């Protein structure tokens, strides 16, 4: 397959402070005690995609990620790690490594090092080839998060929720993307061009699908757009909507599209749009696919003067999530030792948990199902762990309760502590009788004895 695979592994994401730091870039955040990037690399390896470019924002982060890859995947993958400046965005990152892109098509796993899924990338590539598309985007069911009672991560996430979902218009065969509104646009009245509706006849509007950040691109088209649209920052918010908007115009005329985007002909442009609420009333018998497939003399391929934006919709039975918030970090850790345990690569005990053989448990200490206790960790007497991941070489006193939490490596927890719905980073010290609910504690922080915190982010200044 002449696909090049590019994994955009991000840097130190602002949404994940204090979990990420200069020492722990996003790609190395632990999911079930394995760096999140390992889930993407193993998925690609299982699909025989072993020649990869991993793009990391920031020189220091790139060195750390590169060092980890070369030790973990020696003789298994051929990985080139490329450093790009921070905050260039996904489109900027691809622009910066443009000279490395040589294949006809590129399968771009825009995973920001954060896609955890079991959908074979080859299925996306096959759909892309079958339709000779300029882009094929993988969509999966949007995660259904119940109301979180977390004051910190949940509170932050609630404000951001609309930005995470898309409104996507599909043709009746659900193979072509005809419309997309992402991010802040979803908050406003969404407008659809009448020319699209005239061309497609019917459109299915979906608000329950998530862009999984796994794309196949036609390299020549992608590079033209990146070269000509220097202001494009994001693949999801700039490049993909641009390709979708321009697919019914003759050829890919970047200049014409730019004129329309700048609103040079505002009156015509307003007349050419229709409110989303009117959309469902507008349906005729002919689908976009038929419009493309039937000509006056019977069957012809897609009209020569259009390009195709395709979708591959993952089955609902597949697991697909992105680690792009603190809430998602907690959810994915819980899933990978729970309902999606096949992704973890670990074998579970008869009690449906993972306790490393070198871990030591005190008397009357219980580690429940869907829990993990890492190598060399020790727990005192009468402790209780439920639905939580505990890292390596942790020292945990007696009468400690841990529920729905992630505790990273080398953490010390004093007697009588209670930790619920929280994330504790590496080398943290909790002194005796600390109570934490819905908190994040940054690496190396010391929480003094008897402290109680709810919904706080605690980190070194």
């Amino acid at each position: 397959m002449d696909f090049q695979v590019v994994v955009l592994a991000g840097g130190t994401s602002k949404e994940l402070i204090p979990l990420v730091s200069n020492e722990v870039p996003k790609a190395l955040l632990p999911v079930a005690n394995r760096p999140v990037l390992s889930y993407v690399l193993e998925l690609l390896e299982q699909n025989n995609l072993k020649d990869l470019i991993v793009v990391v924002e920031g020189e220091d982060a790139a060195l750390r990620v590169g060092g980890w890859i070369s030790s973990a995947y020696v003789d298994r993958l051929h990985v080139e790690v490329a450093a790009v400046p921070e905050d260039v965005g996904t489109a900027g990152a691809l622009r910066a490594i443009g000279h490395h892109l040589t294949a006809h098509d590129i399968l771009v796993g825009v995973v920001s090092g954060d896609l955890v899924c079991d959908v074979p990338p080859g299925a996306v590539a096959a759909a892309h080839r079958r339709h000779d598309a300029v882009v094929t985007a993988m969509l999966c069911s949007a995660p259904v998060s119940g109301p979180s009672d977390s004051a910190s991560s949940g509170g932050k996430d609630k404000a951001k929720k609309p930005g995470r979902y898309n409104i996507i218009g599909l043709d009746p065969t659900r193979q072509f993307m005809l419309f997309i509104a992402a991010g802040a646009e979803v908050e406003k009245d969404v407008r659809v061009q009448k020319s699209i509706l005239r061309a497609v006849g019917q459109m299915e509007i979906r608000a329950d699908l998530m862009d999984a950040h796994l794309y196949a691109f036609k390299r020549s088209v992608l590079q033209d757009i990146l070269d000509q649209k220097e202001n494009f920052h994001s693949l999801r918010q700039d490049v993909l909507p641009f390709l979708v908007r321009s697919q019914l115009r003759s050829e890919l005329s970047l200049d014409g599209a730019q004129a329309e985007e700048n609103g040079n002909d505002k009156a015509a442009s307003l007349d050419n749009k229709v409110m989303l609420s009117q959309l469902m009333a507008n349906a005729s018998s002919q689908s976009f696919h038929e419009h493309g497939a039937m000509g006056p003399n019977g069957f012809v391929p897609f009209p020569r003067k259009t390009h195709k934006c395709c979708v591959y919709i993952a089955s609902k039975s597949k697991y697909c999530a992105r680690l792009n918030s603190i809430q998602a970090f907690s959810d994915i850790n819980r899933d990978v030792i729970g309902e999606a345990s096949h992704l973890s690569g670990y074998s579970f005990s008869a009690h449906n948990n993972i306790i490393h053989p070198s871990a030591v448990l005190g008397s009357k200490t219980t580690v429940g199902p869907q829990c993990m206790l890492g190598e060399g960790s020790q727990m005192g007497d009468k402790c209780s762990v439920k639905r939580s991941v505990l890292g390596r070489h942790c020292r945990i006193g007696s009468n400690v309760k841990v529920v729905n939490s992630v505790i990273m490596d080398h953490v010390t927890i004093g007697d009588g502590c209670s930790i619920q719905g929280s994330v504790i980073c590496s080398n943290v010290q909790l002194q005796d009788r600390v109570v934490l609910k819905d908190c994040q504690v940054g690496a190396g922080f010391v929480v003094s004895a008897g402290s109680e915190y709810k919904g706080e982010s605690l980190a070194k200044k």
Side-chain angles (χ1 to χ4, degrees):
M1 201 193 305
D2 60 336
F3 271 99
Q4 265 182 308
V5 182
V6 180
V7 179
L8 300 185
T12 52
S13 163
K14 294 180 180 67
E15 291 81 21
L16 289 160
I17 292 171
L19 278 53
V20 294
S21 61
N22 292 336
E23 288 71 39
V24 184
K26 180 180 180 179
L28 300 185
L29 276 178
V31 169
N33 291 340
R34 282 173 46 190
V36 63
L37 182 59
S38 70
Y39 291 84
V40 174
L41 298 185
E42 309 235 325
L43 180 71
L44 294 168
E45 184 183 31
Q46 286 159 15
N47 285 268
N48 213 29
L49 295 163
K50 297 183 178 179
D51 208 355
L52 319 173
I53 302 171
V54 173
V55 185
V56 184
E57 292 183 14
E59 295 281 351
D60 287 354
L63 282 172
R64 289 179 192 278
V65 171
W68 168 74
I69 290 174
S70 56
S71 63
Y73 291 91
V74 64
D75 300 330
R76 286 170 57 187
L77 297 175
H78 178 260
V79 180
E80 180 180 350
V81 177
V84 298
E86 292 182 47
D87 298 323
V88 291
T90 48
L94 278 180
R95 198 179 281 117
I97 61 149
H99 56 291
H100 293 279
L101 304 179
T102 53
H104 180 260
D105 289 318
I106 327 167
L107 183 64
V108 185
V110 182
V111 291
S112 305
D114 70 357
L115 181 66
V116 179
C117 89
D118 54 7
V119 180
V124 181
H128 183 71
R129 280 281 160 82
R130 189 165 64 247
H131 294 295
D132 188 29
V134 299
V135 61
T136 301
M138 182 169 103
L139 305 176
C140 53
S141 298
V144 182
S145 312
S148 165
D149 49 17
S150 149
S152 62
S153 58
K156 282 182 196 158
D157 274 8
K158 275 179 193 135
K160 285 185 189 158
K161 265 206 173 131
R164 242 194 275 159
Y165 296 110
N166 307 301
I167 291 179
I168 291 171
L170 302 175
D171 81 304
T173 68
R174 298 178 185 165
Q175 296 177 88
F176 301 99
M177 187 183 290
L178 309 177
F179 177 81
I180 183 166
E185 293 177 85
V186 177
E187 291 280 75
K188 301 181 274 194
D189 284 337
V190 175
R191 294 174 177 270
V192 179
Q193 291 167 315
K194 281 183 183 170
S195 57
I196 292 178
L197 291 178
R198 276 198 293 270
V200 304
Q202 282 177 295
M203 191 190 303
E204 181 179 338
I205 296 293
R206 299 284 293 269
D208 61 337
L209 294 171
M210 177 181 92
D211 180 346
H213 279 219
L214 181 76
Y215 309 109
F217 279 104
K218 189 165 282 185
R219 179 184 61 83
S220 55
V221 172
L222 176 65
Q223 288 198 304
D224 281 350
I225 290 173
L226 294 176
D227 290 348
Q228 295 187 38
K229 304 282 191 184
E230 291 177 8
N231 59 327
F232 279 8
H233 185 77
S234 160
L235 291 178
R236 182 175 71 88
Q237 293 183 312
D238 298 319
V239 175
L240 184 61
F242 172 76
L243 282 169
V244 169
R245 280 196 307 275
S246 57
Q247 69 185 317
L248 290 173
R249 300 197 186 100
S250 62
E251 298 303 331
L252 185 51
S253 162
L254 297 171
D255 302 332
Q258 185 64 50
E260 183 180 307
E261 279 171 54
N262 292 341
N264 293 354
D265 189 357
K266 282 188 180 163
S269 158
L270 282 173
D271 181 51
N272 200 32
K273 297 199 171 180
V274 58
M275 296 291 292
L276 189 60
S277 51
Q278 295 170 268
L279 254 183
M280 304 320 287
N282 182 306
S284 71
S285 56
Q286 200 181 43
S287 77
F288 182 57
H289 202 250
E290 289 158 349
H291 156 84
M294 297 301 292
N297 308 318
F299 183 85
V300 291
F302 241 81
R304 186 180 62 80
K305 296 210 173 274
T306 188
H307 66 266
K308 285 175 272 185
C309 298
C310 291
V311 295
Y312 176 86
I313 302 178
S315 150
K316 282 192 170 168
S317 64
K318 294 289 188 183
Y319 184 82
C320 188
R322 291 192 50 230
L323 197 165
N324 52 8
S325 67
I326 290 172
Q327 185 64 52
F329 174 80
S330 300
D331 291 345
I332 293 170
N333 264 283
R334 203 158 40 245
D335 291 346
V336 165
I337 51 168
E339 64 188 57
S341 58
H342 62 285
L343 285 168
S344 72
Y346 298 106
S347 42
F348 285 69
S349 74
H351 302 291
N352 195 26
N353 60 21
I354 307 158
I355 298 178
H356 194 276
S358 63
V360 177
L361 302 184
S363 72
K364 297 185 181 173
T365 283
T366 58
V367 177
Q370 301 187 6
C371 287
M372 181 170 191
L373 184 58
E375 175 187 354
S377 286
Q378 297 180 7
M379 301 188 75
D381 300 339
K382 296 181 182 172
C383 294
S384 164
V385 180
K386 296 178 180 173
R387 297 181 304 282
S388 296
V389 175
L390 280 68
R392 302 172 184 87
H393 308 292
C394 293
R395 295 287 174 270
I396 295 167
S398 299
N399 296 297
V400 172
K401 289 187 171 55
V402 182
V403 181
N404 273 340
S405 295
V406 180
I407 293 173
M408 298 187 198
D409 298 344
H410 301 283
V411 170
T412 304
I413 299 177
D415 294 346
C417 289
S418 171
I419 301 159
Q420 185 178 338
S422 297
V423 179
I424 314 293
C425 293
S426 297
N427 300 299
V428 163
Q429 187 180 344
L430 305 185
Q431 296 178 348
D432 294 350
R433 303 179 316 285
V434 167
V435 177
L436 299 178
K437 183 166 192 264
D438 301 327
C439 292
Q440 299 91 44
V441 185
F445 194 83
V446 178
V447 183
S448 52
S451 305
E452 293 194 19
Y453 292 99
K454 181 177 178 183
E456 296 283 340
S457 179
L458 309 171
K460 290 179 173 177
K461 290 284 182 286

